[in-house]
Amino acid sequence: MIEGKMRRLTGSRWRSSRPPRCPRGGRGRVAVGCDDGTVGLLDRGFRLSYGFQAYASSVLFLQQLKQRNVLITVGDDDQPSSQSSAICLKVFDLDKVQEEGSSTTSPFCVQILRIFTKQFPQAKITSFVVLEEAPPILLIAIGLDNGSIYCIKGDIARERITRFMLQVEDGTSSPITGLGFRVEGQAHQLFAVTPSSITLFSLHDHPPRRQTLDQIGCETNAVAMSDRMDLIIGRPEAVYFYEVDGRGPCWAFDGEKKFVGWFRGYLLCIIEDQRSRKNTLNVYDLKNRLIAHSMPVGDVSHLVSEWGYIILIMSDKKILCIGEKDMESKLDMLFKKNLYTVAINLVQSQQADPASTAEVLRKYGDHLYGKQEYDEAMSQYIHTIGHLEPSYVIQKFLDAKRIYNLTNYLEKLHDRGLASKDHTTLLLNCYTKLKDVEKLNHFIKDEDGVGEIKFDVETAIRVCRAAGYHEHAMFVAKKAGRHELYLKILLEDLGRYDEALQYISSLEANQAGLTVKEYGKILVEHRPAETVEILLRLCTDGGDPMTRRGSNSMHLLMIPSPMDFVNIFVHSPKYLMQFLENYTKAVKDSPAQTEIHNTLLELYISKDLSFPSMSQENGFEEQNIKERKGKEVANGYKSVPREKGNLGKEDMNVAKDIVDRQRKGLALLKSAWTSEMDDPLYDVDLALIICNANAFKDGLLFLYEKLKLFKEVISCYKQAHDHEGLIACCKKLGDSSQGGDPSLWGDLLKYFSELGEDCSKEVKEVLTYIEKEDVLPPIVVLETLSKNPCLTLSVVKDYIARKLEQESKLIEEDRKSIDKYQDETELMKREIEDLKTNAKVFQLSKCTACTFTLDLPAVHFMCMHSFHLRCLGDNEKECPECAPEYRSVMEAKQKLEHNARDHDLFFRQLRGSKDGFSVVADYFSKGIVSKTAIPPENGR
């Protein structure tokens, strides 16, 4: 999992003649301090970016800050004075470079700080560490060989600092071999290591509180800090980890620890073999408890890390770079060695994506499955849920011997909400095959019966029903609110009809309505009366008219219509009739009143009481008809062929039932279409069809009469050969004074003429009304009656005598009128001739207008009226006295000419007149018809 390659710092890569003293990585570069006082910055290829002279003598320690591009160094300037030490701390800003010459550059030195003062006496520096707080605040700890630690805190660039000293042990002078900061929130703590002790200072306390963690220590370079800010020390017998409360885990790695480090979760140890004195680099994966890499190395002078590499700088200026392999390569290597547990821990520690982790778990599961360790394999497959296709695992465990493992997997699949319908089916089948009622109860009822359902409801119900676990199926249906499935089990599987009715009664109105629509047929078949009662409560809002009257319109819209439940009575029309009757009694203003009346009419009037099909828009297919024929209807009436004249008690009951129902039907026809109503509360066309199909004469007569279809009324009596009824009907409907149609008498006469039997009595009575209403001329009466050979002349003798006498009187009156008109016409002709041939003498002496003596100028008209010219005004062409009469005559003439062109008016008068011939004669007498206007041809 770790690989390395060797490089050498030679030539242009490094110009110092001395080996590096204190290399440190950071910010994509490695900073190297040397004994000659130079500092070099190396890039990724270990080439020298640039170097500069930091100190006159040597560089002791350095560290690059992470938050700022700043380099902190400690070195010897070799310029001691009597008052100050040559050891100083310098702060370089690497972003600001100042030119020193044509060939060299140097970063800007922000601050130089003398470490040793009078209060802080000089000693040899053995360790150095810097902690970045909120910029620009730094906390610097400097370990000395006398067991003291000098701390500098503040903004060093501006020299706003605070110095304080810590002492590891009282009365001893053990050198500080290692330091490490630990930060927890606002609390800062400092680990200090000597060869004989480990101490923890709490810097947030004033003064800092000292705590000795252990009485053992380590040498220089065997101290490191982990990612979790735990202290790591290496001793010949083992590697120890320390936390704030003392020693933690211990790893027994034998051998002297030349260097100890930490890299990306790996523990780095360079161990010297006591026998061969050769050094070995071991990279430990502590989490997986294995050695990730091991290789022999030479004499190592420094151990650093940068660019994702472990960098070993040798004494001979060679560099060994060790990098971590990519994830795929590491996993392939672990798979080949069957180290699946390590591979799993690896992908988890590297925070790989879930799909990659699931793939490793799958391979581990396949490995265990191949070894027939099915329980362990299943535990791995369970961890892949959500990423591995469930069918991959299920196929491996379909064997009946591994049904327990399969059940476990399917349970986990449901717990995570990733199960499909097929998975639910398979799990429930596993429970039923195992007859594990306890697990089935836990799965179905979820122990306490609360919580969300984690499976497909319909699938669970179907499987439980098929296996005979009806109670479990009912529980699921009820918990999921699937009322229709709950009732399906009660009715179809268990036949508990009373319980089903109670359950429906407990539901809300809309839910109850939906369930009754679906399962109402079964309920009506087995509990008809109770079902009707529930429906009445649903449709009438509990049967309380006051509640319904006081409800708002929105609430009324939510109340179901009784027509929504008609289809459930397909096998029980008797109870449908009962339901609708009770509803109409309870509700007088139903929005579905018309449809209800249509259905009731069909139930009442039909001779064979069956489900109403005419009034239903959807109707039913032939299969329903066949089913109805093969099933005894619950209302006690069954249509079977019977021989005529062989009426038994059952037939009498059936006949009585028909009469009673048709009586109700006629009452409904009349009550739903009273004289005050313009339109009926039912479909008239449908009612006519029903009455006609069932030969319901009384209903037809009522409807025809309301529709003013008088001829159809007469036809009904004709078909029944009811002569008395015919005449009575014509008396009622043929009276023109009551708005009747007198032409009915003509139709009645024609009927008797075509009857072919002796009906003299009826004909005489008909002739009386024909004569009274003057419906037909005598010649038409005689021609009509002549068609019946059974009638004699005596039938019409009196009628003809009266008509002849009446006609004679009319002829005499017409002759007198003719003589009068002829005399008047002759007189007019003589006057006209006289005007044409003889002179007219005007003898009036007074003006007709002003009655004064007539003088000139005067105007005389042929009508013998005379006027002063001044009295006439502008109108000299017509006589003012005769002009109104003349104009009225001309207007009448123009009106007649206009009527001659209005053919619609002529035919309307012809149809509306009792005697059409008189209308034609009148038009001829006025000279309208005789004047034929010849239209111009082609517009000429």
Side-chain angles (χ1 to χ4, degrees), residues 27 65-70 131-139 154-158:
R27 300 184 69 86
L65 302 184
K66 294 181 179 180
Q67 300 182 32
R68 292 180 291 163
N69 195 15
V70 173
L131 173 66
E132 294 181 80
E133 294 188 18
I137 306 301
L138 299 177
L139 178 58
D155 185 357
I156 298 178
R158 298 182 181 181

Side-chain angles (χ1 to χ4, degrees), residues 376-498:
E376 292 78 4
M378 179 54 72
S379 65
Q380 301 305 319
Y381 287 135
I382 287 174
H383 292 303
T384 66
I385 292 176
H387 304 283
L388 180 63
E389 177 62 34
S391 59
Y392 178 86
V393 180
I394 292 173
Q395 289 178 355
K396 292 177 175 291
F397 292 87
L398 287 177
D399 193 338
K401 297 179 181 179
R402 295 187 282 277
I403 191 172
Y404 291 98
N405 299 118
L406 178 60
T407 303
N408 186 25
Y409 181 79
L410 292 172
E411 287 174 347
K412 300 298 182 183
L413 206 60
H414 282 80
D415 290 341
R416 300 188 186 182
L418 300 174
S420 66
K421 296 181 180 180
D422 295 333
H423 298 149
T424 302
T425 302
L426 187 58
L427 178 58
L428 292 174
N429 283 329
C430 290
Y431 286 149
T432 55
K433 288 184 179 297
L434 293 172
K435 298 187 182 302
D436 193 341
V437 180
E438 182 179 354
K439 279 195 173 183
L440 183 62
N441 288 337
H442 178 76
F443 179 76
I444 294 294
K445 299 182 178 181
D446 196 19
E447 295 184 356
D448 54 357
V450 296
E452 296 182 359
I453 296 178
K454 304 174 183 177
F455 49 81
D456 184 74
V457 173
E458 293 186 3
T459 302
I461 293 174
R462 174 173 51 81
V463 175
C464 289
R465 289 182 66 192
Y469 291 93
H470 297 109
E471 296 296 333
H472 294 80
M474 288 169 58
F475 179 87
V476 174
K478 189 172 183 178
K479 184 177 180 181
R482 300 297 297 272
H483 309 297
E484 70 283 2
L485 296 177
Y486 185 88
L487 290 170
K488 188 179 183 71
I489 301 168
L490 277 178
L491 297 173
E492 296 182 2
D493 297 340
L494 303 177
R496 287 147 57 171
Y497 307 108
D498 294 330

Side-chain angles (χ1 to χ4, degrees), residues 254-397:
D254 192 20
E256 183 180 354
K257 313 303 184 296
K258 292 291 186 179
F259 286 90
V260 173
W262 187 264
F263 174 76
R264 292 186 177 181
Y266 295 102
L267 175 64
L268 311 178
C269 291
I270 297 178
I271 302 175
E272 182 183 51
D273 187 86
Q274 296 179 356
R275 298 176 182 177
S276 62
R277 296 297 176 181
K278 293 182 179 180
N279 296 332
T280 303
L281 170 64
N282 288 335
V283 180
Y284 297 101
D285 185 351
L286 300 181
K287 182 176 182 180
N288 297 308
R289 298 177 180 272
L290 57 84
I291 300 176
H293 185 68
S294 180
M295 62 179 296
V297 294
D299 187 10
V300 179
S301 61
H302 299 285
L303 170 64
V304 296
S305 62
E306 187 62 30
W307 308 303
Y309 288 100
I310 302 168
I311 303 173
L312 301 181
I313 301 177
M314 307 298 181
S315 300
D316 57 357
K317 293 189 178 181
K318 290 182 179 180
I319 295 178
L320 178 62
C321 296
I322 303 171
E324 187 177 8
K325 289 184 178 181
D326 61 272
M327 178 69 72
E328 186 175 355
S329 300
K330 289 190 283 186
L331 291 177
D332 289 341
M333 182 184 68
L334 293 173
F335 292 153
K336 290 177 182 179
K337 296 180 179 181
N338 292 331
L339 297 176
Y340 291 98
T341 304
V342 177
I344 293 170
N345 292 334
L346 177 63
V347 295
Q348 291 176 348
S349 64
Q350 297 296 323
Q351 297 181 351
D353 60 281
S356 301
T357 305
E359 180 63 19
V360 175
L361 292 168
R362 180 194 66 79
K363 290 184 177 181
Y364 188 28
D366 293 345
H367 172 71
L368 295 173
Y369 185 88
K371 294 170 62 177
Q372 297 184 355
E373 297 178 6
Y374 301 117
D375 294 340
E376 292 78 4
M378 179 54 72
S379 65
Q380 301 305 319
Y381 287 135
I382 287 174
H383 292 303
T384 66
I385 292 176
H387 304 283
L388 180 63
E389 177 62 34
S391 59
Y392 178 86
V393 180
I394 292 173
Q395 289 178 355
K396 292 177 175 291
F397 292 87

